[in-house]
Amino acid sequence: MANVKTHVEESDILIIGGGMAGTGATFESRHWGRDLKIVCVEKANIDRSGAVAQGLYAINCYMGMQWDENQPEDHVRYARNDLMGMVREDLGYDMARHVDSTVHMFDEWGLPMMKNEKTGRYLREGKWQIMIHGESYKPIVAEAAKKSANKIYNRIMITHLLMDDEKENRIGGAVGFNMRTGDYHVFKAKAVIVAAGGASHIFKPRAVGEGMGRTWYAPWSNGSAYALPIAVGAKMTQMENRIVLCRFKDGYGPVGAYFLHLKTYTQNANGENYEKKWYDQTKSLVGEYIDHHPTPTCLRNHAFIQEVQAGGGPIHMVTKEAFQDPHLETVGWENFLGMTVGQAVVWASQNIDPKYTNPELTTSEPYVMGSHATCSGAWVSGPEDLSPPEYFWGYNRMLTVDGLFGAGDTVGGSAHKFSSGSFTEGRLAAKAAVKYIEDKKADGIKVSEKQYKDLKEVIYKPLENYTVGRNEITGGTVSPSYISPIQGLQRLQRIMDEYVGGIATNYMTNENMLNRGLELLKWLEEDLENVGAEDYHQLMRAWELKHRTITSQCVTEHTKFREETRWPGYYYRGDHLKLDDDNWHCLTVSRRDPKTKKFTMEKFPVYHIVDEKKEKKAS
Ligand code: SFD
Ligand code: AMP
């Protein structure tokens, strides 16, 4: 790799990923660290990167504290209920108490917000959601980040974190490559904020072949947010809590605006309300959790999945009634035109006009995320004023590696953040990172040339593998010496799908299947030493695959550890089909030893910080 140019950049704060959390972190780093050097590195182009690239139609997390619509306590109760009791309430409360100020800034920055004409308040889609004309959402937050950073690097994929050579378990920066020029980039930093989004395409998607890129969550979300910290031994939490979403079939159009604003509802093929049919069966699995309001997302999925399995499908969204109202009809279409254009295109191509035909729904393949109705991610310190000792080690949103912070999908335990909460969490992490530097916790960091030179060899090896292996190609792309990133990805997706609770088994798994899955993942990991990349784009694909694989290992280990079915509708442990509060009313935490690559698992208590009894609004 002698011909690859190396660039070394030193900064105070390095932000990895310029999505919602990354732009929030970049903006807030400048607010608190006027004189600090702030660098943000983005795999795509920050103007249109991340899950919000195409736009959104709603901001799904807004309290409305100024009008006493909701208070942070209400949101904690809501998220706790939706996640079947398992959240970090300190993190959720902290996000909720700050999220409104974030949304008010979006408003000031020119994001078109819908207003309720009668009250003058933001137009509510639901109790927590407000409606926006959100096609321009991402460019607007990107502008704030661009004005705040010393430098934004686009088209650089970060592949590894750097560690301090002097002090154990302290961060030193990160490295990656520019997928257009191929140059090698070394970013030395005093504090690093990982904001690299969630993970799609680790489970085989429903759409394969030519439709493969069509998933609900962004197809380019490749789990770097998890793989980077896992690789350096940071602890992770709730990685078993993958999410399955109810979506419009084939286009994966979100359903929130339909359920909440248009007040549409679902029915089976015979026009029946199937959810109540499954009440007794669900109660026998999860007990009183089925009586909670609103019904937890996973339990709504559960009824859907059971009904389809029992032969009651297809399941339809009843749109024909709502769409008779011209205003609601417009909202229904605009919702997709501003967020998921593909759904509108699917309907057009299949002759579906929701005014006259009730469209089909489906349940998606699982995704790994920390920001939706799910809370997989890194185990982080909470804020000083709220967190019990087990949840606090000095700096808000700092992982168990010193100087390494996280936000958005990266952070576990804090569900229902969505776009606004992720940006808010980026701000919180940045404020703490500045303090970490001011407290001189980052003094004396040394990153040797050897460390980043060794990594350079590792990073570019797939190009080397291809250059050598292509001479042995026996036909087409078949070579005995290397596998291509797409071949590896399809292998990964089948392992996860068939053994770890994907669509192939109707989300079912058990200990034996998980053990087999872990074995196959290990062999895949070994074979990925021989992944070949014919150009820099394929080199990115190779590293995306490696990050997805390490994320998948962690998900599988967690799924094996939790011997209960806590979230029926997300996945089922066939050997432990019931929710088991006596043994598993706890958070799961893992650590992968960077040297041995072995995971160890432990239980952590769930502290209910917000009082149940004072609940004033059922939400
Ligand atoms: O209805 C590297 N989301 C919704 N949020 C809402 O508030 N309202 C909605 O209406 C939402 N809906 C929705 C949503 C997402 C999608 C895809 C659809 C619909 C179709 C969820 C939010 O988008 C989500 O919560 C936040 O975006 C999460 O923020 P963050 O920052 O954790 O992830 P990101 O925005 O994807 O950004 C990640 C960035 O990292 C980059 N990256 N950069 C360098 N090196 C690497 N190795 C990297 N790996 C990744 C990415 O390119 C990206 O820019 S509804 O359906 O819920
Ligand atoms: P979605 O469009 O499905 O991603 O959901 C957007 C928002 O609406 C999220 O806050 C969901 O939790 C919420 N939501 C979606 N469907 C329902 C429903 N049937 N009942 C209550 N909340 C919902």
Side-chain angles (χ1 to χ4, degrees):
M1 287 297 116
N3 54 347
V4 170
K5 230 195 236 173
T6 299
H7 307 263
V8 180
E9 170 102 45
E10 303 218 8
S11 62
D12 293 300
I13 301 184
L14 173 70
I15 295 112
I16 301 174
M20 286 310 296
T23 50
T26 307
F27 169 79
E28 195 78 8
S29 295
R30 175 59 69 220
H31 180 81
W32 298 99
R34 287 275 139 212
D35 304 321
L36 297 187
K37 183 164 176 196
I38 296 149
V39 170
C40 175
V41 183
E42 166 55 49
K43 181 173 81 162
N45 185 307
I46 192 169
D47 283 336
R48 283 279 171 199
S49 70
V52 181
Q54 198 179 123
L56 294 177
Y57 200 68
I59 288 176
N60 281 346
C61 186
Y62 179 72
M63 302 296 112
M65 283 183 272
Q66 58 177 323
W67 304 303
D68 197 25
E69 291 178 334
N70 298 290
Q71 295 300 330
E73 293 85 347
D74 302 323
H75 192 265
V76 171
R77 293 184 189 110
Y78 167 63
R80 175 172 70 199
N81 173 56
D82 199 48
L83 272 288
M84 308 288 280
M86 301 296 107
V87 286
R88 280 276 302 271
E89 297 184 11
D90 58 331
L91 299 178
Y93 188 96
D94 192 31
M95 180 281 296
R97 67 180 164 181
H98 291 105
V99 72
D100 283 10
S101 74
T102 290
V103 173
H104 300 158
M105 289 197 307
F106 294 162
D107 193 355
E108 277 169 34
W109 295 343
L111 180 67
M113 320 281 292
M114 294 191 207
K115 295 274 166 63
N116 181 322
E117 280 172 15
K118 284 193 206 116
T119 62
R121 300 177 183 179
Y122 296 130
L123 182 64
R124 280 280 174 197
E125 176 180 291
K127 184 170 170 59
W128 305 103
Q129 304 81 0
I130 56 173
M131 298 176 74
I132 57 173
H133 291 287
E135 190 279 333
S136 58
Y137 197 177
K138 189 64 215 299
I140 287 172
V141 295
E143 191 178 332
K146 286 194 281 194
K147 285 185 171 151
S148 305
N150 290 76
K151 189 147 188 188
I152 305 263
Y153 285 89
N154 287 318
R155 304 282 170 207
I156 291 181
M157 180 179 182
I158 295 294
T159 56
H160 298 80
L161 296 173
L162 291 168
M163 298 300 285
D164 180 15
D165 289 316
E166 294 288 310
K167 191 164 172 267
E168 215 186 318
N169 198 40
R170 188 164 70 163
I171 205 73
V175 293
F177 64 95
N178 183 309
M179 59 203 85
R180 294 284 161 86
T181 64
D183 289 359
Y184 182 51
H185 286 263
V186 178
F187 299 98
K188 295 185 181 178
K190 293 180 178 162
V192 174
I193 302 173
V194 176
S200 54
H201 280 289
I202 69 170
F203 287 85
K204 185 163 83 65
R206 289 202 185 272
V208 292
E210 64 179 7
M212 194 178 134
R214 191 63 228 140
T215 50
W216 165 70
Y217 212 45
W220 45 83
S221 297
N222 71 289
S224 295
Y226 314 117
L228 292 168
I230 292 170
V232 295
K235 290 186 177 178
M236 307 301 285
T237 189
Q238 300 293 93
M239 291 296 280
E240 69 278 20
N241 177 228
R242 79 298 286 284
I243 184 170
V244 169
L245 295 116
C246 169
R247 289 291 176 254
F248 284 103
K249 192 162 180 302
D250 300 332
Y252 288 87
V255 294
Y258 279 71
F259 275 130
L260 302 176
H261 191 69
L262 275 59
K263 306 274 189 279
T264 59
Y265 56 94
T266 56
Q267 63 184 25
N268 70 8
N270 303 319
E272 297 160 345
N273 172 349
Y274 59 89
E275 283 195 12
K276 60 177 189 220
K277 271 172 63 180
W278 296 101
Y279 173 84
D280 289 338
Q281 189 257 15
T282 312
K283 190 148 192 159
S284 73
L285 296 177
V286 300
E288 52 89 30
Y289 286 86
I290 184 61
D291 298 320
H292 288 196
H293 182 76
T295 308
T297 306
C298 62
L299 299 185
R300 274 187 275 123
N301 286 351
H302 175 68
F304 188 131
I305 294 163
Q306 296 304 307
E307 182 65 17
V308 172
Q309 205 164 9
I315 305 296
H316 290 110
M317 183 75 103
V318 181
T319 51
K320 286 201 282 193
E321 294 163 15
F323 271 58
Q324 299 311 315
D325 174 336
H327 168 68
L328 295 184
E329 183 186 14
T330 305
V331 170
W333 280 106
E334 276 186 3
N335 176 52
F336 290 139
L337 294 172
M339 173 170 64
T340 312
V341 175
Q343 187 63 57
V345 175
V346 166
W347 282 350
S349 68
Q350 296 185 350
N351 274 344
I352 295 170
D353 181 343
K355 195 171 177 178
Y356 305 109
T357 308
N358 292 328
E360 252 182 81
L361 296 169
T362 189
T363 51
S364 74
E365 60 282 347
Y367 305 101
V368 183
M369 304 174 63
S371 66
H372 203 279
T374 173
C375 59
S376 301
W379 181 242
V380 299
S381 173
E384 194 169 5
D385 62 331
L386 290 177
S387 306
E390 283 102 326
Y391 296 175
F392 179 73
W393 48 95
Y395 295 91
N396 201 359
R397 267 62 177 186
M398 189 167 86
L399 281 65
T400 54
V401 169
D402 291 343
L404 179 61
F405 295 78
D409 278 329
T410 307
V411 168
S414 51
H416 285 276
K417 293 177 280 207
F418 293 97
S419 60
S420 46
S422 296
F423 189 97
T424 305
E425 204 170 43
R427 296 177 63 197
L428 295 168
K431 184 177 179 185
V434 171
K435 184 155 191 307
Y436 172 87
I437 294 170
E438 281 173 351
D439 288 350
K440 309 212 175 303
K441 298 287 184 194
D443 285 4
I445 295 174
K446 290 225 164 49
V447 173
S448 68
E449 206 175 333
K450 179 173 178 338
Q451 188 182 160
Y452 62 78
K453 281 202 163 154
D454 287 352
L455 283 172
K456 186 176 177 186
E457 294 297 319
V458 174
I459 291 167
Y460 289 90
K461 186 157 175 268
L463 290 173
E464 205 79 17
N465 289 343
Y466 175 80
T467 311
V468 176
R470 71 177 163 190
N471 299 315
E472 300 166 1
I473 287 175
T474 51
T477 56
V478 180
S479 164
S481 304
Y482 73 89
I483 57 170
S484 66
I486 187 71
Q487 289 164 340
L489 180 65
Q490 287 172 346
R491 186 164 143 195
L492 170 70
Q493 291 179 345
R494 273 198 65 184
I495 298 169
M496 295 304 285
D497 188 40
E498 294 177 2
Y499 295 97
V500 193
I503 52 176
T505 61
N506 237 349
Y507 312 104
M508 179 62 75
T509 185
N510 62 37
E511 187 180 356
N512 291 321
M513 292 167 89
L514 293 164
N515 279 334
R516 179 65 178 149
L518 285 170
E519 191 176 29
L520 292 170
L521 286 170
K522 189 83 207 144
W523 294 341
L524 173 63
E525 183 193 329
E526 283 171 24
D527 286 349
L528 290 184
E529 288 302 308
N530 300 311
V531 67
E534 58 189 274
D535 54 33
Y536 296 129
H537 188 75
Q538 289 303 311
L539 187 61
M540 174 191 75
R541 290 281 184 247
W543 280 103
E544 287 184 337
L545 173 60
K546 283 168 183 265
H547 285 183
R548 283 188 167 106
T549 302
I550 202 171
T551 303
S552 300
Q553 287 172 332
C554 189
V555 168
T556 309
E557 294 278 1
H558 272 256
T559 309
K560 186 179 154 188
F561 183 61
R562 186 180 280 282
E563 294 179 335
E564 65 160 353
T565 300
R566 169 66 47 174
W567 306 277
Y570 285 175
Y571 74 96
Y572 302 86
R573 277 285 304 251
D575 44 355
H576 300 280
L577 258 181
K578 291 192 177 180
L579 180 145
D580 176 4
D581 258 342
D582 290 341
N583 295 301
W584 291 98
H585 196 92
C586 63
L587 300 167
T588 57
V589 174
S590 66
R591 181 175 185 270
R592 176 185 175 275
D593 186 313
K595 291 199 185 85
T596 64
K597 298 185 180 174
K598 292 238 172 339
F599 285 86
T600 45
M601 303 292 314
E602 55 189 320
K603 290 180 177 180
F604 267 78
V606 180
Y607 287 113
H608 296 305
I609 295 166
V610 170
D611 190 352
E612 191 73 60
K613 278 178 278 182
K614 283 189 202 142
E615 197 151 0
K616 55 172 187 172
K617 295 169 194 168
S619 91

